[in-house]
Amino acid sequence: MRIIKIKMGIAFFLVLTLLSCSKDGGSSSSDPVIVLGTPFASNASSITDNSFTANWVVVPEAESYLIDVSTSNNFSNFVTGYNALEKTGTTAEVMGLSPGVSYFYRVRAKQGNEVTNNSNIITVTTTGNQPEDPTYLKVKANALPNPFYVGVAVKANQLTDGSSYDAVLKNEFSSITAEYEMKMNPISTGSGSYSWDAADKIVNYGNDNGINVHGHALVWHNAVPDWLSNFSGTDAEFALEVKKYITDVVTRYAGKIKSWDVVNEAVDDNGNMRSTIFLQKMGANYIKDCYQWARDAANAAGDTNLLLFYNDYATSTNIPKQNKMFTIVDDLMTSNLIDGVGFQMHNTYLSPTKEQIETDINRAVALGLKIHVSELDIQVNQNNDITYLTEERSLAQKEKYKEIVKIYNALPDANKYALTVWGFKDNESWIPYSTDLNHPGNDWPLLYDNKFELKEAHTGFLEGLD
Ligand code: G3I
């Protein structure tokens, strides 16, 4: 009996509570419950360099709206003054913005203390162009009285829209060189047959993004495809295969590639003509033949502006090699078959000296040729005496980058072309543990570290542009 009485008491209390709610204006089952709808944000209007109008659809019963504006679509940061800014209409003037920047907005409806969820997100990009950041290499180089291309060696698989390489490339560089994929061995799969995909991707990326493309390299003894190395035809037929290759490649990219390394590293470290398959099978005139074929192909394709370069390494410190290179260059000049010299500059933090570099490069300046510092990297562990990039070596590397950029920047305008670094990140460089270099240790030769962070070397490059 006791239990029944208690239950009846609770039930009676509940009924009273419900009735009392209705008396003093609380909601009751008879009053309509207002469900505040989540707003729908619509496209922005009146977009200028520094402002836009945010719009949304009215929500019945809403007394006001709260608008958020951010530079990130996860709203991790808000544009000052636009974090839950309360508005009573269905528009908001968003002002004080920067040109060429994407903004994101969303809105909530409010009635009394009730606030709905966020609306959909609208993206809007203000008109105009972002002021270029002078801490980007190409931006600072382009602002010089006599600008030049700032180049980087690339791989086709880095050139994916939105990749970290893509972002750094478009911010920092104005020229690209294929580190490998525009050489004969990846392209030439047989007599008259080619694998163009990687080379096309690199060339198209440059042309689609207003970035200069330097072709490297039509003829190089370290890039001979097996089928040509094992060629069983006569020497004359071998020469015809080389001519066909040069003609087909230069023709394919006519008007899309501004310059080619026609012959790469034809001089050996003793200052003699390197005994390559090309010299052996085509004879001493092979270099001039290759440049003639490249020039003829370009002219036939209507590309009379193609720049033909000769490219080599260590000529600043190896004087016999330097002298032989300029003998080749002089010979090509007599037939107007060369427009520039590529100095690879695979240097160390100790060598070559400023004077050695200037002496070497100035011989090409005196000939009126374009200068391409074509493969710049600066070793800091060539003797394998450190196991990480010490601050001391990092600063020495910074000074060496600054030195060579200053040398290049001081060139006469007529001789400037490009200064190209040979890759992005230290751990992707060809140098660490390189058997070619007989470099058994690690090294950190480039401008960005393994995490794509800027190194002091990058600062040195920028300071060289002052
Ligand atoms: O991508 C292929 C891969 O698909 C294949 O499975 C693998 C099998 O060997 O080879 C890969 O290609 C390698 C390529 O680099 C990747 O980028 C080649 O083997 C390798 O030989 C090639 O090395 C390049 C080297 O030239 C030879 O072409 C280096 O990256 C490049 O830094 C180096 O650059 C040269 C310049 O062209 C001329 N001056 C000297 C400089 C340093 O050697």
Side-chain angles (χ1 to χ4, degrees), residues 402-432:
K402 180 176 179 178
E403 177 185 88
I404 193 161
V405 172
K406 283 181 82 68
I407 289 169
Y408 194 86
N409 192 18
L411 290 174
D413 185 41
N415 304 100
K416 283 183 174 177
Y417 178 61
L419 192 162
T420 298
V421 291
W422 206 239
F424 289 94
K425 299 191 279 186
D426 285 337
N427 61 320
E428 296 168 339
S429 166
W430 69 288
I431 286 176

PDB file of all heavy atoms in Angstrom, residues 402-432:
ATOM      1  N   LYS A 402      76.423  32.530 -51.224  1.00  0.00           N
ATOM      2  CA  LYS A 402      76.350  33.994 -51.397  1.00  0.00           C
ATOM      3  C   LYS A 402      77.419  34.468 -52.380  1.00  0.00           C
ATOM      4  O   LYS A 402      77.143  35.280 -53.278  1.00  0.00           O
ATOM      5  CB  LYS A 402      76.554  34.666 -50.030  1.00  0.00           C
ATOM      6  CG  LYS A 402      76.505  36.183 -50.054  1.00  0.00           C
ATOM      7  CD  LYS A 402      76.623  36.734 -48.643  1.00  0.00           C
ATOM      8  CE  LYS A 402      76.604  38.255 -48.611  1.00  0.00           C
ATOM      9  NZ  LYS A 402      76.664  38.758 -47.201  1.00  0.00           N
ATOM     10  N   GLU A 403      78.601  33.890 -52.279  1.00  0.00           N
ATOM     11  CA  GLU A 403      79.725  34.300 -53.139  1.00  0.00           C
ATOM     12  C   GLU A 403      79.427  34.031 -54.599  1.00  0.00           C
ATOM     13  O   GLU A 403      79.568  34.916 -55.470  1.00  0.00           O
ATOM     14  CB  GLU A 403      80.977  33.534 -52.701  1.00  0.00           C
ATOM     15  CG  GLU A 403      82.215  33.801 -53.551  1.00  0.00           C
ATOM     16  CD  GLU A 403      83.363  32.916 -53.114  1.00  0.00           C
ATOM     17  OE1 GLU A 403      83.479  31.773 -53.637  1.00  0.00           O
ATOM     18  OE2 GLU A 403      84.120  33.357 -52.239  1.00  0.00           O
ATOM     19  N   ILE A 404      78.947  32.824 -54.913  1.00  0.00           N
ATOM     20  CA  ILE A 404      78.759  32.516 -56.339  1.00  0.00           C
ATOM     21  C   ILE A 404      77.538  33.249 -56.896  1.00  0.00           C
ATOM     22  O   ILE A 404      77.518  33.644 -58.076  1.00  0.00           O
ATOM     23  CB  ILE A 404      78.675  30.994 -56.582  1.00  0.00           C
ATOM     24  CG1 ILE A 404      78.806  30.714 -58.086  1.00  0.00           C
ATOM     25  CG2 ILE A 404      77.410  30.366 -55.996  1.00  0.00           C
ATOM     26  CD1 ILE A 404      79.189  29.318 -58.444  1.00  0.00           C
ATOM     27  N   VAL A 405      76.536  33.482 -56.057  1.00  0.00           N
ATOM     28  CA  VAL A 405      75.381  34.247 -56.555  1.00  0.00           C
ATOM     29  C   VAL A 405      75.801  35.698 -56.816  1.00  0.00           C
ATOM     30  O   VAL A 405      75.401  36.291 -57.818  1.00  0.00           O
ATOM     31  CB  VAL A 405      74.211  34.179 -55.552  1.00  0.00           C
ATOM     32  CG1 VAL A 405      73.078  35.122 -55.968  1.00  0.00           C
ATOM     33  CG2 VAL A 405      73.687  32.754 -55.431  1.00  0.00           C
ATOM     34  N   LYS A 406      76.647  36.250 -55.943  1.00  0.00           N
ATOM     35  CA  LYS A 406      77.138  37.599 -56.177  1.00  0.00           C
ATOM     36  C   LYS A 406      77.975  37.680 -57.453  1.00  0.00           C
ATOM     37  O   LYS A 406      77.852  38.627 -58.245  1.00  0.00           O
ATOM     38  CB  LYS A 406      77.994  38.091 -54.986  1.00  0.00           C
ATOM     39  CG  LYS A 406      77.180  38.526 -53.790  1.00  0.00           C
ATOM     40  CD  LYS A 406      78.025  39.021 -52.628  1.00  0.00           C
ATOM     41  CE  LYS A 406      78.452  40.478 -52.822  1.00  0.00           C
ATOM     42  NZ  LYS A 406      77.307  41.403 -52.741  1.00  0.00           N
ATOM     43  N   ILE A 407      78.811  36.657 -57.672  1.00  0.00           N
ATOM     44  CA  ILE A 407      79.610  36.628 -58.912  1.00  0.00           C
ATOM     45  C   ILE A 407      78.666  36.635 -60.114  1.00  0.00           C
ATOM     46  O   ILE A 407      78.822  37.409 -61.064  1.00  0.00           O
ATOM     47  CB  ILE A 407      80.512  35.370 -58.942  1.00  0.00           C
ATOM     48  CG1 ILE A 407      81.633  35.480 -57.919  1.00  0.00           C
ATOM     49  CG2 ILE A 407      81.086  35.151 -60.351  1.00  0.00           C
ATOM     50  CD1 ILE A 407      82.395  34.173 -57.713  1.00  0.00           C
ATOM     51  N   TYR A 408      77.653  35.769 -60.052  1.00  0.00           N
ATOM     52  CA  TYR A 408      76.723  35.665 -61.182  1.00  0.00           C
ATOM     53  C   TYR A 408      75.939  36.961 -61.363  1.00  0.00           C
ATOM     54  O   TYR A 408      75.791  37.471 -62.478  1.00  0.00           O
ATOM     55  CB  TYR A 408      75.765  34.481 -61.018  1.00  0.00           C
ATOM     56  CG  TYR A 408      75.060  34.175 -62.325  1.00  0.00           C
ATOM     57  CD1 TYR A 408      75.640  33.340 -63.268  1.00  0.00           C
ATOM     58  CD2 TYR A 408      73.869  34.811 -62.642  1.00  0.00           C
ATOM     59  CE1 TYR A 408      75.027  33.106 -64.491  1.00  0.00           C
ATOM     60  CE2 TYR A 408      73.250  34.591 -63.875  1.00  0.00           C
ATOM     61  CZ  TYR A 408      73.835  33.735 -64.791  1.00  0.00           C
ATOM     62  OH  TYR A 408      73.241  33.527 -66.007  1.00  0.00           O
ATOM     63  N   ASN A 409      75.507  37.514 -60.247  1.00  0.00           N
ATOM     64  CA  ASN A 409      74.679  38.718 -60.314  1.00  0.00           C
ATOM     65  C   ASN A 409      75.459  39.910 -60.861  1.00  0.00           C
ATOM     66  O   ASN A 409      74.875  40.860 -61.394  1.00  0.00           O
ATOM     67  CB  ASN A 409      74.140  39.043 -58.915  1.00  0.00           C
ATOM     68  CG  ASN A 409      73.044  40.094 -58.942  1.00  0.00           C
ATOM     69  OD1 ASN A 409      72.450  40.345 -60.002  1.00  0.00           O
ATOM     70  ND2 ASN A 409      72.770  40.687 -57.812  1.00  0.00           N
ATOM     71  N   ALA A 410      76.795  39.834 -60.738  1.00  0.00           N
ATOM     72  CA  ALA A 410      77.635  40.954 -61.216  1.00  0.00           C
ATOM     73  C   ALA A 410      77.937  40.854 -62.711  1.00  0.00           C
ATOM     74  O   ALA A 410      78.543  41.764 -63.286  1.00  0.00           O
ATOM     75  CB  ALA A 410      78.943  40.975 -60.431  1.00  0.00           C
ATOM     76  N   LEU A 411      77.499  39.765 -63.336  1.00  0.00           N
ATOM     77  CA  LEU A 411      77.774  39.608 -64.778  1.00  0.00           C
ATOM     78  C   LEU A 411      77.061  40.694 -65.580  1.00  0.00           C
ATOM     79  O   LEU A 411      76.001  41.181 -65.184  1.00  0.00           O
ATOM     80  CB  LEU A 411      77.297  38.238 -65.254  1.00  0.00           C
ATOM     81  CG  LEU A 411      78.079  37.009 -64.773  1.00  0.00           C
ATOM     82  CD1 LEU A 411      77.383  35.735 -65.231  1.00  0.00           C
ATOM     83  CD2 LEU A 411      79.525  37.060 -65.258  1.00  0.00           C
ATOM     84  N   PRO A 412      77.619  41.039 -66.738  1.00  0.00           N
ATOM     85  CA  PRO A 412      76.906  41.960 -67.622  1.00  0.00           C
ATOM     86  C   PRO A 412      75.560  41.358 -68.025  1.00  0.00           C
ATOM     87  O   PRO A 412      75.445  40.141 -68.171  1.00  0.00           O
ATOM     88  CB  PRO A 412      77.831  42.086 -68.832  1.00  0.00           C
ATOM     89  CG  PRO A 412      79.176  41.653 -68.354  1.00  0.00           C
ATOM     90  CD  PRO A 412      78.925  40.642 -67.285  1.00  0.00           C
ATOM     91  N   ASP A 413      74.590  42.199 -68.223  1.00  0.00           N
ATOM     92  CA  ASP A 413      73.238  41.715 -68.536  1.00  0.00           C
ATOM     93  C   ASP A 413      73.238  40.803 -69.759  1.00  0.00           C
ATOM     94  O   ASP A 413      72.577  39.773 -69.790  1.00  0.00           O
ATOM     95  CB  ASP A 413      72.319  42.927 -68.786  1.00  0.00           C
ATOM     96  CG  ASP A 413      70.881  42.481 -69.006  1.00  0.00           C
ATOM     97  OD1 ASP A 413      70.428  41.566 -68.281  1.00  0.00           O
ATOM     98  OD2 ASP A 413      70.226  43.016 -69.928  1.00  0.00           O
ATOM     99  N   ALA A 414      74.057  41.166 -70.750  1.00  0.00           N
ATOM    100  CA  ALA A 414      74.057  40.401 -72.009  1.00  0.00           C
ATOM    101  C   ALA A 414      74.534  38.960 -71.790  1.00  0.00           C
ATOM    102  O   ALA A 414      74.213  38.072 -72.585  1.00  0.00           O
ATOM    103  CB  ALA A 414      74.952  41.087 -73.021  1.00  0.00           C
ATOM    104  N   ASN A 415      75.248  38.716 -70.704  1.00  0.00           N
ATOM    105  CA  ASN A 415      75.804  37.374 -70.477  1.00  0.00           C
ATOM    106  C   ASN A 415      74.981  36.570 -69.467  1.00  0.00           C
ATOM    107  O   ASN A 415      75.277  35.412 -69.211  1.00  0.00           O
ATOM    108  CB  ASN A 415      77.249  37.468 -69.974  1.00  0.00           C
ATOM    109  CG  ASN A 415      78.124  38.252 -70.928  1.00  0.00           C
ATOM    110  OD1 ASN A 415      78.408  39.442 -70.705  1.00  0.00           O
ATOM    111  ND2 ASN A 415      78.538  37.608 -72.023  1.00  0.00           N
ATOM    112  N   LYS A 416      73.986  37.187 -68.891  1.00  0.00           N
ATOM    113  CA  LYS A 416      73.174  36.478 -67.896  1.00  0.00           C
ATOM    114  C   LYS A 416      72.167  35.574 -68.587  1.00  0.00           C
ATOM    115  O   LYS A 416      71.608  35.894 -69.624  1.00  0.00           O
ATOM    116  CB  LYS A 416      72.433  37.476 -66.992  1.00  0.00           C
ATOM    117  CG  LYS A 416      73.315  38.110 -65.930  1.00  0.00           C
ATOM    118  CD  LYS A 416      72.501  39.019 -65.046  1.00  0.00           C
ATOM    119  CE  LYS A 416      73.334  39.539 -63.883  1.00  0.00           C
ATOM    120  NZ  LYS A 416      72.559  40.488 -63.040  1.00  0.00           N
ATOM    121  N   TYR A 417      71.974  34.397 -67.974  1.00  0.00           N
ATOM    122  CA  TYR A 417      70.941  33.485 -68.449  1.00  0.00           C
ATOM    123  C   TYR A 417      70.237  32.881 -67.238  1.00  0.00           C
ATOM    124  O   TYR A 417      69.150  33.271 -66.855  1.00  0.00           O
ATOM    125  CB  TYR A 417      71.531  32.401 -69.356  1.00  0.00           C
ATOM    126  CG  TYR A 417      70.477  31.418 -69.825  1.00  0.00           C
ATOM    127  CD1 TYR A 417      69.382  31.850 -70.581  1.00  0.00           C
ATOM    128  CD2 TYR A 417      70.526  30.074 -69.471  1.00  0.00           C
ATOM    129  CE1 TYR A 417      68.406  30.974 -70.997  1.00  0.00           C
ATOM    130  CE2 TYR A 417      69.550  29.185 -69.871  1.00  0.00           C
ATOM    131  CZ  TYR A 417      68.488  29.641 -70.630  1.00  0.00           C
ATOM    132  OH  TYR A 417      67.508  28.761 -71.025  1.00  0.00           O
ATOM    133  N   ALA A 418      70.918  31.917 -66.583  1.00  0.00           N
ATOM    134  CA  ALA A 418      70.284  31.254 -65.430  1.00  0.00           C
ATOM    135  C   ALA A 418      71.337  30.768 -64.446  1.00  0.00           C
ATOM    136  O   ALA A 418      72.466  30.444 -64.818  1.00  0.00           O
ATOM    137  CB  ALA A 418      69.440  30.073 -65.888  1.00  0.00           C
ATOM    138  N   LEU A 419      70.902  30.713 -63.178  1.00  0.00           N
ATOM    139  CA  LEU A 419      71.714  30.064 -62.141  1.00  0.00           C
ATOM    140  C   LEU A 419      70.841  28.957 -61.563  1.00  0.00           C
ATOM    141  O   LEU A 419      69.781  29.243 -60.995  1.00  0.00           O
ATOM    142  CB  LEU A 419      72.113  31.075 -61.063  1.00  0.00           C
ATOM    143  CG  LEU A 419      73.181  30.636 -60.085  1.00  0.00           C
ATOM    144  CD1 LEU A 419      73.788  31.841 -59.368  1.00  0.00           C
ATOM    145  CD2 LEU A 419      72.667  29.634 -59.071  1.00  0.00           C
ATOM    146  N   THR A 420      71.248  27.728 -61.809  1.00  0.00           N
ATOM    147  CA  THR A 420      70.405  26.559 -61.475  1.00  0.00           C
ATOM    148  C   THR A 420      71.034  25.736 -60.363  1.00  0.00           C
ATOM    149  O   THR A 420      72.209  25.389 -60.424  1.00  0.00           O
ATOM    150  CB  THR A 420      70.230  25.674 -62.730  1.00  0.00           C
ATOM    151  OG1 THR A 420      69.555  26.419 -63.755  1.00  0.00           O
ATOM    152  CG2 THR A 420      69.427  24.417 -62.423  1.00  0.00           C
ATOM    153  N   VAL A 421      70.228  25.449 -59.331  1.00  0.00           N
ATOM    154  CA  VAL A 421      70.711  24.560 -58.266  1.00  0.00           C
ATOM    155  C   VAL A 421      70.263  23.138 -58.603  1.00  0.00           C
ATOM    156  O   VAL A 421      69.194  22.933 -59.196  1.00  0.00           O
ATOM    157  CB  VAL A 421      70.195  24.991 -56.878  1.00  0.00           C
ATOM    158  CG1 VAL A 421      70.839  26.303 -56.471  1.00  0.00           C
ATOM    159  CG2 VAL A 421      68.688  25.100 -56.821  1.00  0.00           C
ATOM    160  N   TRP A 422      71.129  22.198 -58.214  1.00  0.00           N
ATOM    161  CA  TRP A 422      70.933  20.823 -58.693  1.00  0.00           C
ATOM    162  C   TRP A 422      70.080  19.994 -57.733  1.00  0.00           C
ATOM    163  O   TRP A 422      70.502  18.994 -57.187  1.00  0.00           O
ATOM    164  CB  TRP A 422      72.290  20.170 -58.974  1.00  0.00           C
ATOM    165  CG  TRP A 422      72.211  19.066 -59.997  1.00  0.00           C
ATOM    166  CD1 TRP A 422      72.570  17.763 -59.824  1.00  0.00           C
ATOM    167  CD2 TRP A 422      71.753  19.170 -61.350  1.00  0.00           C
ATOM    168  NE1 TRP A 422      72.372  17.045 -60.983  1.00  0.00           N
ATOM    169  CE2 TRP A 422      71.868  17.878 -61.934  1.00  0.00           C
ATOM    170  CE3 TRP A 422      71.263  20.203 -62.151  1.00  0.00           C
ATOM    171  CZ2 TRP A 422      71.513  17.608 -63.262  1.00  0.00           C
ATOM    172  CZ3 TRP A 422      70.904  19.950 -63.463  1.00  0.00           C
ATOM    173  CH2 TRP A 422      71.026  18.669 -64.002  1.00  0.00           C
ATOM    174  N   GLY A 423      68.837  20.466 -57.551  1.00  0.00           N
ATOM    175  CA  GLY A 423      67.898  19.717 -56.724  1.00  0.00           C
ATOM    176  C   GLY A 423      67.322  20.567 -55.605  1.00  0.00           C
ATOM    177  O   GLY A 423      67.746  21.698 -55.376  1.00  0.00           O
ATOM    178  N   PHE A 424      66.324  19.980 -54.940  1.00  0.00           N
ATOM    179  CA  PHE A 424      65.625  20.700 -53.869  1.00  0.00           C
ATOM    180  C   PHE A 424      66.228  20.356 -52.503  1.00  0.00           C
ATOM    181  O   PHE A 424      66.856  21.182 -51.855  1.00  0.00           O
ATOM    182  CB  PHE A 424      64.146  20.296 -53.831  1.00  0.00           C
ATOM    183  CG  PHE A 424      63.324  20.802 -54.982  1.00  0.00           C
ATOM    184  CD1 PHE A 424      63.118  20.021 -56.114  1.00  0.00           C
ATOM    185  CD2 PHE A 424      62.740  22.054 -54.941  1.00  0.00           C
ATOM    186  CE1 PHE A 424      62.343  20.484 -57.181  1.00  0.00           C
ATOM    187  CE2 PHE A 424      61.962  22.528 -55.995  1.00  0.00           C
ATOM    188  CZ  PHE A 424      61.766  21.743 -57.109  1.00  0.00           C
ATOM    189  N   LYS A 425      66.000  19.131 -52.038  1.00  0.00           N
ATOM    190  CA  LYS A 425      66.313  18.763 -50.653  1.00  0.00           C
ATOM    191  C   LYS A 425      67.645  18.007 -50.565  1.00  0.00           C
ATOM    192  O   LYS A 425      67.965  17.183 -51.426  1.00  0.00           O
ATOM    193  CB  LYS A 425      65.189  17.893 -50.071  1.00  0.00           C
ATOM    194  CG  LYS A 425      63.835  18.590 -50.038  1.00  0.00           C
ATOM    195  CD  LYS A 425      62.823  17.815 -49.225  1.00  0.00           C
ATOM    196  CE  LYS A 425      62.210  16.689 -50.000  1.00  0.00           C
ATOM    197  NZ  LYS A 425      61.113  16.016 -49.260  1.00  0.00           N
ATOM    198  N   ASP A 426      68.374  18.243 -49.475  1.00  0.00           N
ATOM    199  CA  ASP A 426      69.684  17.611 -49.287  1.00  0.00           C
ATOM    200  C   ASP A 426      69.643  16.106 -49.506  1.00  0.00           C
ATOM    201  O   ASP A 426      70.514  15.524 -50.152  1.00  0.00           O
ATOM    202  CB  ASP A 426      70.195  17.895 -47.865  1.00  0.00           C
ATOM    203  CG  ASP A 426      70.702  19.324 -47.704  1.00  0.00           C
ATOM    204  OD1 ASP A 426      71.078  19.947 -48.729  1.00  0.00           O
ATOM    205  OD2 ASP A 426      70.719  19.816 -46.556  1.00  0.00           O
ATOM    206  N   ASN A 427      68.656  15.462 -48.933  1.00  0.00           N
ATOM    207  CA  ASN A 427      68.633  13.985 -48.989  1.00  0.00           C
ATOM    208  C   ASN A 427      68.276  13.445 -50.363  1.00  0.00           C
ATOM    209  O   ASN A 427      68.341  12.245 -50.601  1.00  0.00           O
ATOM    210  CB  ASN A 427      67.661  13.425 -47.935  1.00  0.00           C
ATOM    211  CG  ASN A 427      66.236  13.904 -48.173  1.00  0.00           C
ATOM    212  OD1 ASN A 427      66.020  15.070 -48.519  1.00  0.00           O
ATOM    213  ND2 ASN A 427      65.273  13.029 -48.027  1.00  0.00           N
ATOM    214  N   GLU A 428      67.897  14.341 -51.300  1.00  0.00           N
ATOM    215  CA  GLU A 428      67.595  13.886 -52.665  1.00  0.00           C
ATOM    216  C   GLU A 428      68.743  14.175 -53.621  1.00  0.00           C
ATOM    217  O   GLU A 428      68.691  13.833 -54.799  1.00  0.00           O
ATOM    218  CB  GLU A 428      66.337  14.602 -53.170  1.00  0.00           C
ATOM    219  CG  GLU A 428      65.079  14.283 -52.386  1.00  0.00           C
ATOM    220  CD  GLU A 428      63.935  15.224 -52.722  1.00  0.00           C
ATOM    221  OE1 GLU A 428      64.219  16.339 -53.238  1.00  0.00           O
ATOM    222  OE2 GLU A 428      62.786  14.865 -52.472  1.00  0.00           O
ATOM    223  N   SER A 429      69.791  14.833 -53.112  1.00  0.00           N
ATOM    224  CA  SER A 429      70.924  15.161 -53.977  1.00  0.00           C
ATOM    225  C   SER A 429      71.668  13.915 -54.422  1.00  0.00           C
ATOM    226  O   SER A 429      71.716  12.911 -53.712  1.00  0.00           O
ATOM    227  CB  SER A 429      71.896  16.079 -53.203  1.00  0.00           C
ATOM    228  OG  SER A 429      73.149  16.158 -53.884  1.00  0.00           O
ATOM    229  N   TRP A 430      72.271  14.010 -55.583  1.00  0.00           N
ATOM    230  CA  TRP A 430      73.075  12.883 -56.114  1.00  0.00           C
ATOM    231  C   TRP A 430      74.343  12.687 -55.298  1.00  0.00           C
ATOM    232  O   TRP A 430      75.008  11.676 -55.381  1.00  0.00           O
ATOM    233  CB  TRP A 430      73.442  13.141 -57.566  1.00  0.00           C
ATOM    234  CG  TRP A 430      74.427  14.268 -57.737  1.00  0.00           C
ATOM    235  CD1 TRP A 430      74.180  15.605 -57.580  1.00  0.00           C
ATOM    236  CD2 TRP A 430      75.824  14.155 -58.039  1.00  0.00           C
ATOM    237  NE1 TRP A 430      75.320  16.332 -57.788  1.00  0.00           N
ATOM    238  CE2 TRP A 430      76.355  15.473 -58.070  1.00  0.00           C
ATOM    239  CE3 TRP A 430      76.688  13.087 -58.293  1.00  0.00           C
ATOM    240  CZ2 TRP A 430      77.691  15.742 -58.343  1.00  0.00           C
ATOM    241  CZ3 TRP A 430      78.028  13.353 -58.552  1.00  0.00           C
ATOM    242  CH2 TRP A 430      78.508  14.663 -58.581  1.00  0.00           C
ATOM    243  N   ILE A 431      74.708  13.686 -54.471  1.00  0.00           N
ATOM    244  CA  ILE A 431      76.026  13.694 -53.830  1.00  0.00           C
ATOM    245  C   ILE A 431      76.176  12.749 -52.639  1.00  0.00           C
ATOM    246  O   ILE A 431      77.172  12.011 -52.564  1.00  0.00           O
ATOM    247  CB  ILE A 431      76.409  15.142 -53.440  1.00  0.00           C
ATOM    248  CG1 ILE A 431      76.800  15.913 -54.712  1.00  0.00           C
ATOM    249  CG2 ILE A 431      77.524  15.191 -52.400  1.00  0.00           C
ATOM    250  CD1 ILE A 431      77.100  17.366 -54.509  1.00  0.00           C
ATOM    251  N   PRO A 432      75.266  12.723 -51.685  1.00  0.00           N
ATOM    252  CA  PRO A 432      75.503  11.857 -50.518  1.00  0.00           C
ATOM    253  C   PRO A 432      75.822  10.420 -50.946  1.00  0.00           C
ATOM    254  O   PRO A 432      75.124   9.831 -51.744  1.00  0.00           O
ATOM    255  CB  PRO A 432      74.209  11.920 -49.726  1.00  0.00           C
ATOM    256  CG  PRO A 432      73.617  13.244 -50.100  1.00  0.00           C
ATOM    257  CD  PRO A 432      73.988  13.434 -51.545  1.00  0.00           C
TER     258      PRO A 432
END
